[in-house]
Amino acid sequence: MELSIKHSNISSSLTLAISAKAKKMQEDGIKVISFSVGEPDFNTPENIRNKAIDVIKNNNIGYTAASGMPTLKDAICKKLKVDNELSYNPKEIIVSNGAKHSLYNIFQAICNPEDEVIISSPYWVSYPELVKMAGAKPILIECEEDNDFKYNINDLKKNITNKTKAIILNSPSNPTGSVYTLDELKEIAKLAVENNIIVISDEIYEKLIYDNQKHISIASLNENIKELTIVVNGLSKCCAMTGWRIGYTASNEKIATIMSNIQSHATSNPNTIAQYAAIEALEGDQSTVDYMRNEFDERRKKMVELINDIPNISCNMPKGAFYVMVNISKVIGKKLGNYNIQNSMDFANYLLENSHVAVVPGIAFGNDNYIRLSYATSQENIREGLNRIKKALSNI
C-alpha cells in the first residue's frame, strides 16, 4: 500500500529529539544542562493564570468562532496598532493553536504545486517542512555569519523566479537572534512589491529584543507591502505561554478568509480558556514581559562572553530572541577523546553523552558548522554548562 507521497518525506524535529534524549537522561538521574529548549524557563505570569482559573469557574467555555473570539481579535487589533503602527480589522485576524499552526494555515492557503518559498538559512526547523507539506518547494538561501545571518538583497534577487510565491522573514530570528534594520526591511519590501511576492513576517520574538533596538514590522512600511504581508505572532515566547497554544496572523481579508475556512475543518476553534487568557496577556499588566526581557538580556551577555572565551568556538552577539549560533567549524574533522567529530550531530552527541550538555546541532537549521544554544535557562546553568563545554574541548 502506497501512503502519502507528499508527506512521506517530512522529517521529524531534531530539536525535539535532542530535548527528549536529554530528558530521558535526567529521568535516569543524570544532571544534564540543557541549552536545547525553545521556550522561556519562566512560569506564565500570575495575572494570566488567574484569568484562566476565573474563566473555568465562571464562564461558558464552549466552542467559539473557528477563527477566534471577537473580543480577542479586538485585543490583537489594538496591540498591532499600538506596538506596530498597523491598522487591521477583526476580519483580517485569524487566531490559531500557536504560531506554528498559523504558519501551517498560511502555506496551505497560499501555495500551489511548483510554487517556491524563499527561506534564509540557518532557518527555524519547521519552515521547510511546512512548505513541503503544502506541496511547494523551499528555496534555501545561505546567509553569512558576517552579515548576522540575514538576507543579502542581491542573493534574494538571484533566487526570485516566476514560481516564487513567498519570502519568509523571521525577525528577531530563531535560531540566530538576528534583527533586520529599517533599511534592510525597505530593500526587501521594495523587492517584494516589484515582484508581487508575499512576505511571511514571523514576529513571534518581537518583545525579546536588546541593545535599544526597535522591532519594526515590514508591514508597517507602506500600504503596498502591507497588502502582501502576512504577519505571524503569538504569546508563547513573550508571555511564557508555550503550552497555551495561541498564535495569530494579520493579513488581507482574502487570505484570512481562506485560512479561516481551512481551520474550521481542521481544528475548529483554538482553546477557549487560552483565548480568554490571551486577552489578559495582551491587555493586562506587562511588567513581567519587561522583567523576562531584562533577565534574558543579562543571560545573553554572559553566554556570549563565556563562549568566546573557549578556544576553537565562537559566536556573534545576537540582537534578539534567546538563542546563540555557535561556530564550531574549527572542531569539525578533529578528534575529541574517542570521538571523531565529522559534523554538528557528532559534536552534539559528544557533548550530551560525555559532558551531559544538550545543544542542538546546526544541521537541524541547515548549517552543519554550527550548534544552537538557548539562554532560556539560569545564569548558574549557563556558567556550569559552558564550563563543561570548555573542558570537553580541552582535549581536542
Side-chain angles (χ1 to χ4, degrees):
M1 179 189 295
E2 186 174 51
L3 302 180
S4 168
I5 295 171
K6 184 171 71 171
H7 291 114
S8 293
N9 68 341
I10 303 300
S11 61
S12 62
S13 170
L14 275 177
T15 55
L16 295 180
I18 291 287
S19 293
K21 190 173 181 180
K23 285 178 182 177
K24 177 64 170 61
M25 292 173 69
Q26 288 171 327
E27 289 170 2
D28 293 340
I30 300 169
K31 186 186 176 184
V32 175
I33 303 293
S34 180
F35 294 138
S36 65
V37 292
E39 62 179 336
D41 58 321
F42 301 101
N43 204 352
T44 304
E46 187 175 13
N47 62 309
I48 300 171
R49 286 181 280 133
N50 285 340
K51 180 64 177 179
I53 292 167
D54 180 67
V55 166
I56 292 170
K57 289 179 177 178
N58 301 307
N59 286 68
N60 178 353
I61 49 175
Y63 291 127
T64 73
S67 60
M69 293 164 45
T71 47
L72 177 52
K73 290 187 177 189
D74 286 340
I76 291 168
C77 287
K78 290 174 188 173
K79 177 260 178 246
L80 291 168
K81 184 67 175 175
V82 172
D83 290 351
N84 309 109
E85 299 178 7
L86 288 168
S87 295
Y88 287 98
N89 68 64
K91 291 182 179 180
E92 297 171 314
I93 307 298
I94 303 296
V95 183
S96 301
N97 300 284
K100 185 183 286 190
H101 184 209
S102 297
L103 287 160
Y104 175 85
N105 285 343
I106 288 169
F107 296 119
Q108 296 297 320
I110 70 171
C111 289
N112 293 303
E114 305 296 318
D115 280 350
E116 296 176 348
V117 177
I118 293 176
I119 305 171
S120 60
S121 177
Y123 47 76
W124 178 52
V125 292
S126 292
Y127 287 147
E129 307 309 314
L130 288 167
V131 170
K132 288 189 284 186
M133 288 168 74
K137 181 180 179 182
I139 303 297
L140 306 178
I141 296 182
E142 187 173 337
C143 297
E144 300 296 330
E145 185 175 2
D146 289 346
N147 193 40
D148 241 358
F149 303 105
K150 294 185 284 188
Y151 287 120
N152 175 297
I153 196 66
N154 291 323
D155 289 338
L156 259 181
K157 289 177 180 177
K158 290 175 189 175
N159 281 275
I160 289 174
T161 71
N162 59 2
K163 296 180 180 179
T164 305
K165 176 59 69 70
I167 297 168
I168 298 179
L169 184 65
N170 182 204
S171 178
S173 164
N174 173 12
T176 66
S178 58
V179 175
Y180 281 83
T181 66
L182 176 59
D183 288 342
E184 289 167 337
L185 292 174
K186 284 180 177 178
E187 284 187 322
I188 294 170
K190 183 173 182 290
L191 187 65
V193 170
E194 287 175 349
N195 292 275
N196 195 36
I197 296 170
I198 294 170
V199 175
I200 300 162
S201 184
D202 185 346
E203 303 178 15
I204 191 74
Y205 292 95
E206 69 159 325
K207 298 287 187 182
L208 301 178
I209 195 165
Y210 316 109
D211 298 333
N212 296 315
Q213 294 218 45
K214 184 180 184 298
H215 171 73
I216 302 167
S217 176
I218 193 170
S220 68
L221 298 184
N222 57 64
E223 283 301 314
N224 290 330
I225 188 60
K226 182 186 173 219
E227 180 66 15
L228 286 168
T229 299
I230 306 172
V231 175
V232 182
N233 212 323
L235 301 167
S236 294
K237 314 301 181 180
C238 66
C239 295
M241 293 179 69
T242 51
W244 298 74
R245 309 313 302 141
I246 294 292
Y248 59 86
T249 59
S251 67
N252 68 54
E253 191 173 337
K254 183 177 180 181
I255 293 173
T257 298
I258 297 173
M259 287 195 287
S260 178
N261 292 340
I262 291 169
Q263 185 162 297
S264 70
H265 293 289
T267 64
S268 296
N269 63 274
N271 181 284
T272 302
I273 301 161
Q275 289 189 70
Y276 279 107
I279 296 170
E280 176 63 25
L282 290 167
E283 298 185 338
D285 180 22
Q286 300 295 305
S287 60
T288 52
V289 176
D290 296 331
Y291 170 78
M292 286 189 284
R293 180 174 56 249
N294 290 335
E295 284 292 307
F296 283 134
D297 190 13
E298 292 303 312
R299 297 171 183 184
R300 171 185 72 117
K301 293 171 183 173
K302 178 54 64 176
M303 179 172 273
V304 170
E305 174 193 334
L306 293 175
I307 288 169
N308 286 323
D309 189 49
I310 300 173
N312 296 306
I313 64 174
S314 62
C315 67
N316 288 351
M317 178 67 81
K319 301 294 193 301
F322 41 68
Y323 308 104
V324 178
M325 283 296 277
V326 181
N327 190 322
I328 61 164
S329 58
K330 292 181 180 178
V331 181
I332 303 296
K334 299 293 196 301
K335 193 170 184 179
L336 288 170
N338 295 321
Y339 277 71
N340 290 309
I341 308 300
Q342 299 300 321
N343 49 52
S344 61
M345 182 63 84
D346 287 345
F347 189 51
N349 281 325
Y350 171 76
L351 291 179
L352 186 56
E353 293 171 14
N354 287 268
S355 303
H356 303 153
V357 177
V359 303
V360 184
I363 192 61
F365 312 108
N367 197 315
D368 221 5
N369 286 323
Y370 293 84
I371 56 173
R372 190 197 74 178
L373 274 61
S374 166
Y375 48 91
T377 189
S378 68
Q379 289 262 13
E380 179 185 358
N381 282 344
I382 289 170
R383 289 189 179 91
E384 172 66 20
L386 285 165
N387 186 50
R388 293 184 189 185
I389 292 175
K390 188 172 185 177
K391 287 180 179 178
L393 284 166
S394 65
N395 64 348
I396 193 167

